[in-house]
Amino acid sequence: MSEHLANSSAGISFIVNGEKRTVAAHGMKRLLDVLREDLHLTGTKEGCGEGECGSCSVRMNGELVNSCLVPVLQAEGATIETVEGLGRAEALHPIQKAFLECGGAQCGICTPGMLMATAQLLAVNPHPTIGEIREGLAGNLCRCTGFKRIFDSVAAVVVEMDATAKTGGAHAG
Amino acid sequence: MYAMPQPVRRSSTAQTMSTSEKTRIVGTAVPRKEGVDKLLGRARYLDDIEREGMWYGATVRSSIPRGLIRSIGFDRRIDWTEFTVVTVADIPGRNHIQLINADQPVLADGMVNHCEEAIVLLAHPDKHKLREAVDAVNVEYEPLMPVLTIEESERQETIVWGADNILKSFLLEKGDVDAAWAQAAHIVEGEYRTGAQEHLYIENNGVIAEWSEGNGITVWGSLQCPYYVHKSLLAVLDLPEDKVRAIQTETGGAFGGKEDYPSTLASHAALLAMKSGHVVKMTYDRMEDLAATTKRHPSRVRHRTALDGDGKLLAMDIEVATDGGAYTTLSSTVLSRATLHSPGPYVCPNVRVSSKAWATNTVPYGAFRGFGAPQAIFAIERHMDEIAAAIGMDPVEVRRRNFLHDGDTTATEQVMREPVILDKLLDRALTESDYYERQKRFAQENQTRAVKRGLGIAAFYHGAGFTGSGERYLNSLAGIDVTPEGRVRVLVANTEFGQGTNTILSQIAAESIGIDYDDVEMAPVDTNVVPNSGPTVASRTSMVVGKLIERAGLQLVGTLRERAGLREEFTREEFFAACERLREEDGAVISLCRYEAPAGIFWDDQKYRGEAYPAFAWSVQVAQVAVDTTTYSAEVEEFWSVQEVGRVLHPVLAGGQIEGGIAQGIGYALYEKVVWKDGRMANNQMTNYIMPTAEDVPPIHVYFEEIPCRFGGFGAKGIGELPHDGPAPAILNGIRDAIGVGFNAIPLLPEDLFAQLVTQESKAEVSAV
Ligand code: FES
Ligand code: FES
């Protein structure tokens, strides 16, 4: 990486949850910290800082990444989605609704990452089998649920999204 | 400190009857109280909180397991004037965390007794400067011989705690064990071991502390027991009660790991805040959290059992030893629970349990879901299968012949007054898992396949609430108030960390008052706002605290009827109008209830006899296991869990508790190994301390049999710990069923399977020659 980029104070720009943001941060600062500290998007969590737990998962250019492993300079020009962009209190995203109803969140600390992993999984594969759900979420650790109700939640989203598609309704994301 | 308000006058009509038959809210799957905040990512966990001008704290820790501190040097390459430095000399009060024994220093005083023991604390406004500074504090030691295992501690050649290394011991005796051996048709012996287990909550420990002359110390933290923290801060900082305040923030998992440890971390952050004059945040990264905080006690349990010719238990002689680590923390109560769970759910006329918690120079072990029971139940439930093999009986049948029933007495002579339905649970588990059909099929398939399958069973109870007289000593106070804004609040110090405290207590409050779930909220867990309703541990929240809230709700309605003209049947509007009439008279609308020990419950702490627990939750679990005899890996393929936990307050949350506990139990059995190197955890990362992932946890089937319990909130008993008790023995019994080899130690990783199987094979070859 060039000295210029690493010490960039001119700013690194990217789109977060549909909004263009520019931050003046060291290029090697972790995307996780930029989201949490510079942009105050604290929904994205740190569980391990070494790419193992997935609680820092965000979507970047349509891929799921562990934001604790991404130096922010790699996010220059990228499109990033975090939990804050998923839904609102008055209009939960179908994934959030399903996790709420099916018991997919207990302590909630893995939840933002799990929701983003689910969004990624369903974007790539709208009708995953249970095996594909397990595989798709294998990078996201949950210590509370034993995963079963997380799988149930994902399955419920699929049903809900199919029903909406049939009735002609549209869902974001 | 919580200032006790004038309680609502006791009303004669406020009977503490249980309204558990027909319910509108209890027993339904209402949405989790704090669920929407968690799903939107706006729930505020400790590390999400930033304060203006906040500093950050870090800890200089011992690099050796035991030794004298010769000197503490501060490297000149650091400008120390930028930092706040706290050593033991800065502690205004007592240098001890206030748990059962006050033996654990807040900061090492001239001596260290385990690796990672805190010696010096540093604070700085820039958190990135702290790591280098921690490395620039040079502690010189005169190392002393450490004691690192139960066996080394037992030898008592090196004394590292008290006069004899014994943190606590118990002796429980029923009948005459020594006289029983002569009549025995069979005597079966076994030794069983369990390793340390890490909680691995995904949110690490963290605390923020703020000091001011006027308000004293306030700490916010990811914690289970605000009043434990409160108690330690009073002593460590030498402050009066009204100058110490502890507040729980949203807590990202705990499992017991945030029961005792936050008292230490809060003391550290408070000392830095006091000395620096700044708000100080201390959060651990994963490596520090794994290396420095508590874990599940390792154990060794020996059984010697006498049986008659029909496979009925005549005598059980049990010796329990746990590794407590360097300081007592909660080792005595963990040992107590291990002792009381070690004979299993069986009737036996003659029982002796001799148990000891041994001090070693490792990080102190602490509370972890199950609290000694998983260790004890691993031993007895593995032992039952060894008994079955030794006497040539089906493991299911041995258990059935010895199960406790109504009217029987346990090892502490506690009479089973409430229904015990072990037979029913067992039958259901066998039916749901199609146990015998599967077993038959596996026996056939195993003859020709490298992957061998088997089924294993575990039957067990878990005592709900504090052991023995514990609840009486706790003397919990909890209640309900109504705010002028028309919100009904549950006032408890019991914390939500995923298990559903907020939801079930709100359900109970709404149900007992007769209002909507949405009208109820939880008061903030802040020692200035809520009374001490006891710690959130020991599966006591739904049963003990739930009952207090149920009573408080009925009491409130009774008072409103008597003094504020509330009619027998009332609408929501009438309820809140009556509350306002009461407020005009009393200034507040609040209903508090104190714990009342159930009548006829008696416990003798000295003799260790009597009613050990007000109620027991019961379970039978079945594990289907596959052992690949070419790769030496064992895997759980399917799991069934049938339990009786009293009334199920919330089906989704209850199911989630059971499944989550089973997943942790599977990790305990087959994945999670703490690797020790010279007294320090060597694999303190998520890359090498492995927990089960979404791909590892098998399909889990959960079934409840409900028998409302008269001591619990709307009939609930404890649920949170029970499911973790059974998986390890069920899985290892399944391995025995699959390959005919009994393993007596967990965790059982492929290398351990390999080691024992290869040794056995070579032994078999030798004897065949
Ligand atoms: S914090 Fe990024 S993977 Fe754990
Ligand atoms: S809900 Fe607690 S870690 Fe997943």
Side-chain angles (χ1 to χ4, degrees):
Chain A
M1 126 206 52
S2 74
E3 192 61 11
H4 165 73
L5 260 182
N7 295 315
S8 173
S9 52
I12 297 170
S13 300
F14 42 80
I15 293 168
V16 183
N17 302 329
E19 233 180 278
K20 182 165 178 203
R21 307 297 295 259
T22 302
V23 293
H26 191 289
M28 289 308 286
K29 189 166 181 177
R30 305 181 302 174
L31 176 58
L32 171 64
D33 297 329
V34 170
L35 292 171
R36 290 177 53 83
E37 294 169 8
D38 299 56
L39 302 178
H40 305 292
L41 295 171
T42 52
T44 305
K45 307 299 181 192
E46 172 164 5
C48 70
E50 54 177 6
E52 285 293 323
C53 72
S55 54
C56 65
S57 300
V58 300
R59 296 181 75 200
M60 183 162 117
N61 296 331
E63 305 259 0
L64 191 71
V65 297
N66 288 326
S67 63
C68 70
L69 296 183
V70 178
V72 67
L73 63 87
Q74 280 182 10
E76 172 70 46
T79 301
I80 293 164
E81 291 157 73
T82 71
V83 67
E84 286 90 349
L86 223 43
R88 286 167 292 117
E90 327 74 64
L92 290 182
H93 187 281
I95 298 177
Q96 290 166 318
K97 198 165 150 275
F99 270 69
L100 184 63
E101 284 167 6
C102 301
Q106 288 189 16
C107 81
I109 194 80
C110 72
T111 307
M114 205 62 86
L115 297 175
M116 298 320 287
T118 303
Q120 178 66 23
L121 170 68
L122 296 180
V124 178
N125 178 0
H127 293 95
T129 62
I130 176 71
E132 288 164 343
I133 295 174
R134 285 174 178 275
E135 198 188 322
L137 302 181
N140 291 71
L141 298 179
C142 174
R143 189 59 158 168
C144 296
T145 61
F147 301 102
K148 181 177 161 185
R149 275 158 219 271
I150 291 177
F151 304 152
D152 294 349
S153 305
V154 179
V157 186
V158 173
V159 172
E160 157 81 11
M161 283 185 154
D162 280 356
T164 316
K166 267 204 201 109
T167 57
H171 269 301
Chain B
M1 192 204 58
Y2 180 74
M4 176 125 166
Q6 287 299 316
V8 165
R9 252 181 278 143
R10 224 172 204 302
S11 135
S12 53
T13 53
Q15 294 301 321
T16 57
M17 60 189 176
S18 185
T19 43
S20 59
E21 275 101 60
K22 275 217 182 73
T23 50
R24 297 172 302 125
I25 300 161
V26 160
T28 68
V30 293
R32 179 180 272 282
K33 259 296 161 204
E34 75 294 349
V36 169
D37 287 340
K38 284 176 172 172
L39 286 155
L40 290 171
R42 70 182 185 193
R44 305 277 279 166
Y45 298 82
L46 193 279
D47 203 26
D48 301 336
I49 300 168
E50 291 294 321
R51 296 279 307 273
E52 192 63 34
M54 188 165 76
W55 284 33
Y56 298 86
T59 315
V60 177
R61 299 179 177 283
S62 169
S63 59
I64 64 166
R66 183 166 176 247
L68 302 175
I69 297 175
R70 280 283 160 247
S71 66
I72 301 174
F74 293 83
D75 196 307
R76 294 248 185 100
R77 71 176 192 266
I78 301 286
D79 178 3
W80 293 105
T81 60
E82 291 178 2
F83 289 80
T84 293
V85 179
V86 165
T87 66
V88 69
D90 295 300
I91 296 176
R94 298 188 56 193
N95 181 26
H96 286 113
I97 302 301
Q98 305 295 306
L99 284 163
I100 295 164
N101 287 339
D103 61 334
Q104 182 177 12
V106 178
L107 291 172
D109 190 2
M111 167 158 206
V112 291
N113 283 302
H114 62 86
C115 286
E116 314 300 339
E117 186 158 2
I119 302 171
V120 177
L121 304 168
L122 304 176
H124 192 278
D126 180 355
K127 64 179 163 196
H128 302 290
K129 292 215 166 160
L130 282 162
R131 182 160 303 185
E132 197 192 350
V134 166
D135 291 341
V137 179
N138 304 312
V139 183
E140 280 182 31
Y141 307 93
E142 182 183 323
L144 295 171
M145 176 68 86
V147 162
L148 297 176
T149 62
I150 292 173
E151 282 71 20
E152 283 173 33
S153 188
E154 272 176 339
R155 249 175 259 142
Q156 298 177 322
E157 284 160 9
T158 306
I159 299 298
V160 299
W161 195 90
D164 52 10
N165 289 343
I166 299 173
L167 296 168
K168 186 74 184 179
S169 64
F170 293 108
L171 179 64
L172 180 165
E173 283 186 294
K174 176 192 186 187
D176 186 349
V177 169
D178 295 319
W181 309 114
Q183 293 136 44
H186 311 277
I187 296 176
V188 184
E189 294 185 32
E191 180 179 294
Y192 306 90
R193 286 176 182 268
T194 64
Q197 185 184 20
E198 173 52 45
H199 307 87
L200 217 72
Y201 31 68
I202 304 293
E203 182 206 22
N204 292 318
N205 270 286
V207 154
I208 292 174
E210 179 173 27
W211 164 256
S212 76
E213 277 309 327
N215 295 329
I217 196 79
T218 304
V219 297
W220 292 259
S222 175
L223 50 88
Q224 282 177 247
C225 309
Y227 277 96
Y228 281 7
V229 171
H230 188 262
K231 187 175 166 197
S232 276
L233 290 174
L234 286 180
V236 173
L237 304 180
D238 191 23
L239 289 170
E241 294 219 350
D242 61 345
K243 290 278 186 287
V244 174
R245 182 175 180 192
I247 302 169
Q248 185 220 11
T249 50
E250 196 72 63
T251 297
F255 315 111
K258 294 170 185 172
E259 176 173 348
D260 49 303
Y261 197 80
S263 300
T264 301
L265 181 53
S267 299
H268 290 172
L271 288 166
L272 284 170
M274 249 173 136
K275 187 161 177 187
S276 70
H278 296 276
V279 178
V280 173
K281 181 194 269 190
M282 290 187 87
T283 51
Y284 290 166
D285 65 14
R286 182 57 62 181
M287 289 184 80
E288 184 172 22
D289 196 288
L290 285 173
T293 72
T294 62
K295 295 167 199 1
R296 185 185 296 290
H297 290 70
S299 75
R300 182 199 66 208
V301 180
R302 293 181 175 139
H303 276 269
R304 185 160 193 255
T305 311
L307 300 110
D308 70 11
D310 295 329
K312 291 200 116 190
L313 294 166
L314 290 179
M316 306 172 92
D317 198 359
I318 307 169
E319 189 201 295
V320 178
T322 61
D323 179 347
Y327 301 108
T328 314
T329 64
L330 302 163
S331 285
S332 25
T333 41
V334 168
L335 185 71
S336 163
R337 197 169 271 271
T339 305
L340 294 167
H341 287 73
S342 65
Y346 304 111
V347 204
C348 182
N350 306 293
V351 182
R352 176 166 55 217
V353 187
S354 156
S355 56
K356 291 190 176 63
W358 294 95
T360 61
N361 297 110
T362 52
V363 171
Y365 293 98
F368 193 156
R369 194 179 205 162
F371 212 69
Q375 293 93 319
I377 290 167
F378 173 72
I380 179 64
E381 284 305 282
R382 272 295 299 120
H383 191 58
M384 288 307 276
D385 270 40
E386 293 307 319
I387 288 173
I391 68 175
M393 195 179 274
D394 178 359
V396 171
E397 186 55 30
V398 180
R399 286 182 173 83
R400 202 188 285 280
R401 285 191 188 188
N402 291 290
F403 272 157
L404 281 163
H405 291 99
D406 310 7
D408 286 337
T409 61
T410 64
T412 64
E413 317 261 7
Q414 174 166 2
V415 181
M416 296 283 98
R417 294 180 220 275
E418 308 292 312
V420 180
I421 57 162
L422 279 165
D423 294 294
K424 192 169 172 191
L425 300 180
L426 177 63
D427 288 337
R428 179 110 190 246
L430 296 175
T431 311
E432 299 288 355
S433 64
D434 202 10
Y435 184 87
Y436 286 109
E437 276 308 308
R438 279 188 200 237
Q439 212 173 32
K440 219 192 292 167
R441 176 155 57 86
F442 296 156
Q444 223 161 41
E445 292 170 357
N446 285 351
Q447 292 175 3
T448 54
R449 293 190 187 170
V451 175
K452 309 213 183 281
R453 296 200 157 74
L455 290 171
I457 214 160
F460 48 98
Y461 60 64
H462 195 96
F466 262 44
T467 299
S469 345
E471 290 294 344
R472 237 177 277 224
Y473 294 137
L474 276 179
N475 199 19
S476 298
L477 185 69
I480 293 172
D481 73 359
V482 184
T483 69
E485 295 75 37
R487 301 294 295 163
V488 173
R489 301 193 309 171
V490 177
L491 305 173
V492 293
N494 298 94
T495 47
E496 168 71 53
F497 38 89
Q499 56 329 14
T501 303
N502 291 349
T503 308
I504 58 154
L505 293 180
S506 298
Q507 285 177 283
I508 289 174
E511 187 79 56
S512 72
I513 294 173
I515 50 172
D516 284 346
Y517 174 70
D518 287 341
D519 284 323
V520 181
E521 65 187 36
M522 302 298 289
V525 180
D526 172 340
T527 54
N528 272 11
V529 177
V530 293
N532 189 354
S533 53
T536 307
V537 303
S539 303
R540 64 186 292 278
T541 304
S542 49
M543 187 175 82
V544 178
V545 184
K547 188 75 188 177
L548 290 176
I549 296 304
E550 182 185 351
R551 282 171 50 204
L554 293 171
Q555 179 176 278
L556 176 62
V557 172
T559 307
L560 291 170
R561 286 203 179 113
E562 226 174 61
R563 297 182 44 220
L566 188 66
R567 292 181 306 152
E568 200 55 36
E569 300 280 316
F570 55 85
T571 65
R572 180 179 183 277
E573 286 65 35
E574 285 165 356
F575 170 78
F576 284 108
C579 287
E580 288 323 299
R581 287 195 291 277
L582 191 67
R583 189 186 313 283
E584 266 170 37
E585 249 186 79
D586 291 359
V589 183
I590 180 164
S591 166
L592 293 169
C593 284
R594 200 172 276 291
Y595 177 76
E596 283 168 11
I601 295 268
F602 169 77
W603 174 255
D604 183 335
D605 262 332
Q606 254 60 53
K607 293 211 184 90
Y608 233 60
R609 194 169 296 168
E611 318 277 324
Y613 299 98
F616 295 86
W618 307 87
S619 180
V620 175
Q621 296 181 333
V622 176
Q624 178 180 317
V625 182
V627 183
D628 187 328
T629 53
T630 53
T631 61
Y632 296 97
S633 65
E635 178 188 340
V636 184
E637 294 188 319
E638 206 162 339
F639 203 95
W640 296 263
S641 187
V642 186
Q643 46 273 313
E644 192 271 287
V645 295
R647 185 83 186 276
V648 173
L649 300 175
H650 189 297
V652 171
L653 296 184
Q657 281 294 292
I658 301 293
E659 292 144 14
I662 290 168
Q664 281 183 346
I666 292 172
Y668 188 39
L670 296 180
Y671 294 84
E672 301 181 28
K673 186 177 214 159
V674 174
V675 178
W676 296 105
K677 193 161 184 297
D678 305 324
R680 117 170 326 116
M681 182 177 181
N683 57 333
N684 57 329
Q685 285 173 275
M686 278 190 171
T687 36
N688 45 18
Y689 182 88
I690 306 297
M691 64 162 269
T693 71
E695 286 186 297
D696 303 317
V697 176
I700 298 171
H701 312 282
V702 176
Y703 313 92
F704 291 100
E705 296 285 348
E706 292 187 59
I707 302 180
C709 162
R710 63 197 160 107
F711 306 127
F714 283 92
K717 296 195 258 194
I719 180 169
E721 297 176 284
L722 177 78
H724 197 306
D725 291 345
I731 291 164
L732 269 72
N733 288 340
I735 293 175
R736 192 187 205 297
D737 185 46
I739 60 174
V741 182
F743 290 87
N744 293 346
I746 50 167
L748 183 68
L749 272 57
E751 60 260 35
D752 309 304
L753 258 162
F754 175 78
Q756 188 168 333
L757 289 179
V758 168
T759 338
Q760 284 208 339
E761 275 164 26
S762 54
K763 264 194 211 148
E765 273 164 34
V766 173
S767 56
V769 169

